[in-house]
Amino acid sequence: MDGYATDAFDVAGLVPGFRPPSQAVPGQSAAQLAAADARMRHWRDPDDGPLVPGSDRHGDAACRMFRDTFNPYRPAVLDWPVLEPAVRDRIVALPIWDIAVQTEGKARLRMAAYAGTLRDPAMRDALALNAWEEQRHKDVLARMVAAYGIDLAPEPVQHPPRDPEWAYLVTGYSECVDSFFAFGLFELARRSGLFPPALVDTFEPVMQEECRHILLFANWAAWHRARLSFLRRVRFETKVAAVWAFLAWERIGFARAIDADGGARAQDNNFTLHGAQSVADDGVGVRDLLALCLAENDRRFAGYDERLLRPRTVPRLARLALRLSRPFDWPR
């Protein structure tokens, strides 16, 4: 377990010139912490006018948003609350911890590797900071599983990707999918009492950071594709389509494994298929879960400049699913 908590991954090793931001230190006042939290959740470009995708102004605004909303919390000083034995046992039993820690490890490496290929200094620095924050998420999770005695499988060695852009696209779109459902499941866990208020407060900055991450990714994608020549854009869109096909196949594959076995795997990255039943005592219907995810998704993005693009694919699919399911509603 110590190997997780003392991980020495260095973003600057893949992005020369990157300087880690300063973090909070013990003893900061409640007012200082509250101000940092508010800055993380609210940002608007001071200049009026549209942010045209691909323009210098659009790219600069996306990067400035990410930099200005940085939250300097420090994992080492997070206060992990003492849990009631029954609550702790339910949290330990959640089938997510191995894949959660390993996913953050992949994300930091892929983001840093791609950031190192960029020529635009502002975007390169923003993506490097994104990688650094993924490393911090891994540190948070590592310290949590240590605090509550959660056993993890040995972490496989991660190697830099051969195609950094492909790897970054897979990670970015994966986060867009997973964060949409994670927002709803986190709120469901709060409402059900699985996550007591003190634990919710400790994890809340991590959840909001995921919102910032996919906001940056959505605007990077629009900025990047708009600046490509016709032929390079065709190649890029083909790669994006292949990424979506890969993600769909990956999740369908996990779903089939669950169905064939007659139950869920002990650890898998398709937690959204059965996570609602794990975090709520009486479960939750698909329509109710989708509605909650949409509401939480809208709430978390509400504080950011509306001119910045939001991830749209998964929310649109969720709204379509809700509309199509209405004729089949029956009184309870």
Side-chain angles (χ1 to χ4, degrees):
M1 182 57 243
D2 290 342
Y4 287 95
T6 58
D7 195 325
F9 179 78
D10 182 17
V11 175
L14 292 170
V15 191
F18 173 74
R19 295 183 178 180
S22 59
Q23 297 184 79
V25 296
Q28 282 194 311
S29 68
Q32 289 175 313
L33 295 175
D37 187 74
R39 286 195 302 272
M40 176 174 64
R41 299 170 190 276
H42 301 89
W43 185 87
R44 183 175 178 82
D45 190 333
D47 297 328
D48 294 328
L51 297 177
V52 180
S55 65
D56 290 342
R57 184 162 174 251
H58 175 224
D60 289 343
C63 295
R64 194 163 58 250
M65 175 280 299
F66 201 72
R67 182 179 63 250
D68 292 350
T69 57
F70 172 76
N71 188 334
Y73 71 86
R74 193 181 188 94
V77 301
L78 292 178
D79 185 18
W80 297 104
V82 176
L83 303 177
E84 294 292 332
V87 173
R88 179 195 168 280
D89 290 345
R90 287 182 65 188
I91 289 175
V92 170
L94 291 175
I96 60 172
W97 302 119
D98 284 338
I99 197 67
V101 172
Q102 293 176 21
T103 296
E104 298 294 355
K106 290 179 183 177
R108 66 182 184 179
L109 179 59
R110 292 172 175 179
M111 290 179 177
Y114 182 66
T117 69
L118 298 181
R119 295 181 179 180
D120 184 271
M123 194 64 72
R124 182 176 62 244
D125 190 67
L127 267 61
L129 178 58
N130 196 161
W132 185 91
E133 289 185 1
E134 296 290 359
Q135 161 64 14
R136 185 167 61 169
H137 287 187
K138 187 172 186 290
D139 195 3
V140 169
L141 289 169
R143 293 176 186 277
M144 178 193 166
V145 299
Y148 297 132
I150 301 171
D151 292 328
L152 297 180
E155 187 175 13
V157 176
Q158 301 292 339
H159 300 285
R162 287 179 292 180
D163 184 344
E165 184 181 68
W166 166 268
Y168 179 59
L169 287 169
V170 169
T171 293
Y173 284 117
S174 291
E175 288 199 335
C176 289
V177 174
D178 296 337
S179 294
F180 175 81
F181 291 102
F183 296 156
L185 291 173
F186 185 74
E187 175 61 14
L188 189 62
R190 184 193 68 81
R191 293 181 183 182
S192 71
L194 173 61
F195 284 7
L199 188 56
V200 170
D201 291 344
T202 301
F203 252 117
E204 177 58 34
V206 177
M207 296 301 297
Q208 192 62 32
E209 274 189 343
E210 289 294 349
C211 180
R212 291 172 55 254
H213 291 180
I214 60 178
L215 183 62
L216 176 65
F217 177 77
N219 283 275
W220 164 83
W223 174 84
H224 178 69
R225 63 165 40 98
R227 298 166 76 91
L228 297 174
S229 65
F230 175 76
L231 290 178
R232 291 182 63 199
R233 181 164 180 173
V234 169
R235 288 197 296 269
F236 179 75
E237 297 297 353
T238 301
K239 184 177 286 189
V240 169
V243 166
W244 278 111
F246 169 77
L247 295 178
W249 179 256
E250 180 183 55
R251 281 154 176 76
I252 290 171
F254 278 113
R256 286 176 176 169
I258 291 169
D259 291 340
D261 296 340
R265 291 173 179 263
Q267 298 282 344
D268 64 56
N269 70 354
N270 214 14
F271 180 59
T272 54
L273 286 177
H274 53 279
Q277 280 63 46
S278 299
V279 302
D281 289 329
D282 55 355
V284 63
V286 173
R287 293 194 78 251
D288 291 338
L289 177 61
L290 288 178
L292 180 59
C293 291
L294 281 167
E296 284 298 294
N297 187 73
D298 291 344
R299 181 181 70 83
R300 289 192 178 276
F301 281 111
Y304 303 110
D305 196 318
E306 66 278 1
R307 293 171 294 175
L308 290 174
L309 301 173
R310 272 67 168 159
R312 295 174 293 185
T313 302
V314 179
R316 283 177 174 174
L317 290 174
R319 291 188 175 93
L320 177 62
L322 287 174
R323 285 197 298 270
L324 293 177
S325 66
R326 284 173 187 163
F328 301 99
D329 284 349
W330 294 89
R332 293 180 182 272

